[in-house]
Amino acid sequence: MSFSGQETFGSAEMLVKEGNAASLEQPYSRRVGGYTDVIKPLADFVLAVLLLLVTLPIMVLSAMLIKLDSRGPIIFKQERYGKNGVKFNIYKFRTMRTDAPKYGLSPTDSYDPRITRLGRILRKTSLDELPQLLNIIKGDMSFIGPRPEMKRIVEECYTDLERRRFLVKPGITGLWQVSEARKEPIHHNLQYDFDYISNVSIKMDITIIFKTIRVMIKSNTF
């Protein structure tokens, strides 16, 4: 993949060849209503508020340690694309040096020199994701859904096919995050997002939550 805008994503092209792309909107449209429009947003909001209250002491402590560990803001903000192509700022605890490119490639390991000392711990434990509870409360995101893509990648590389990821709210976790393909860039594995959009249900979301917990336990073993 390149950022020149001349190369499209391999996984999206694969879906076109398999004939699945044209059916994406129709399966999802049958699920719009009770769950996706009412139950899921309400559950997201209530659970996010509860988790925010429970984790508030951890977030305050993390914020204090970030200020002591390195110079720069506590919160890292980056513009992403959400449902219906609406742009929003995603929030995370800052884990990298302030001289790191804001829209550079994400670190592939904890030894990346851009990551701060505390940042290694925050990323290892996924505590850097806690501020995204505010994104969920604001309605920008859901707990489960496609990861919100960076503005640069969308504007330079996305075709109409990739933009179908915007049919649903982006999430903190999803099918890609609980698969072995999570070791590769998400834009190389968009079929996971399309599968989710075509089959979204309460059962699928509950399954993803339990798989996410299992992945976090395995990856956070020091």
Side-chain angles (χ1 to χ4, degrees):
M1 176 199 147
S2 71
F3 290 112
S4 64
Q6 299 176 347
E7 185 176 345
T8 56
F9 303 119
S11 299
E13 291 176 341
M14 178 187 69
L15 282 168
V16 172
K17 292 177 182 178
E18 292 179 351
N20 295 332
S23 64
L24 278 176
E25 291 179 351
Q26 182 60 30
Y28 176 71
S29 67
R30 291 199 296 268
R31 291 170 170 81
V32 171
Y35 178 58
T36 56
D37 279 3
V38 180
I39 298 176
K40 185 174 182 179
L42 180 60
D44 281 334
F45 179 83
V46 173
L47 185 56
V49 170
L50 291 176
L51 285 177
L52 184 63
L53 294 175
V54 170
T55 61
L56 189 57
I58 298 175
M59 294 179 70
V60 172
L61 178 60
S62 298
M64 294 172 59
L65 293 176
I66 289 172
K67 292 301 290 184
L68 293 173
D69 182 61
S70 60
R71 293 183 178 181
I74 294 172
I75 298 296
F76 170 78
K77 296 190 296 183
Q78 190 180 68
E79 198 168 33
R80 301 288 181 97
Y81 272 78
K83 185 178 180 180
N84 298 324
V86 176
K87 288 178 281 189
F88 70 95
N89 282 315
I90 191 173
Y91 305 129
K92 293 185 178 185
F93 279 129
R94 181 177 58 83
T95 60
M96 293 198 285
R97 297 159 49 96
T98 54
D99 57 356
K102 187 173 182 178
Y103 289 95
L105 295 176
S106 298
T108 56
D109 59 63
S110 60
Y111 299 103
D112 191 302
R114 295 172 296 172
I115 303 176
T116 63
R117 291 172 298 177
L118 180 63
R120 291 186 175 89
I121 299 175
L122 293 176
R123 296 173 75 96
K124 179 72 174 178
T125 56
S126 298
L127 292 177
D128 61 317
E129 308 278 355
L130 284 178
Q132 287 173 50
L133 292 173
L134 297 175
N135 286 121
I136 295 177
I137 293 172
K138 289 174 59 182
D140 299 326
M141 296 177 62
S142 172
F143 277 102
I144 302 169
R147 280 302 290 173
E149 190 58 272
M150 288 191 294
K151 176 182 176 182
R152 179 179 60 155
I153 294 179
V154 172
E155 295 181 352
E156 295 184 11
C157 301
Y158 265 35
T159 66
D160 288 342
L161 177 60
E162 283 93 21
R163 287 179 179 272
R164 297 194 186 201
R165 296 178 75 237
F166 304 152
L167 283 170
V168 298
K169 283 184 181 180
I172 294 178
T173 187
L175 280 180
W176 169 71
Q177 289 92 326
V178 299
S179 71
E180 288 300 319
R182 67 182 179 275
K183 300 172 184 177
E184 304 172 5
I186 179 57
H187 40 262
H188 290 168
N189 294 279
L190 296 185
Q191 69 269 23
Y192 290 96
D193 291 340
F194 294 145
D195 285 344
Y196 178 78
I197 293 169
S198 296
N199 300 286
V200 57
S201 65
I202 296 177
K203 181 179 179 181
M204 174 174 278
D205 281 354
I206 292 175
T207 300
I208 291 173
I209 288 174
F210 280 108
K211 286 187 176 182
T212 298
I213 295 173
R214 185 172 63 185
V215 169
M216 289 179 64
I217 292 174
K218 287 183 178 180
S219 63
N220 292 338
T221 303
F222 289 91

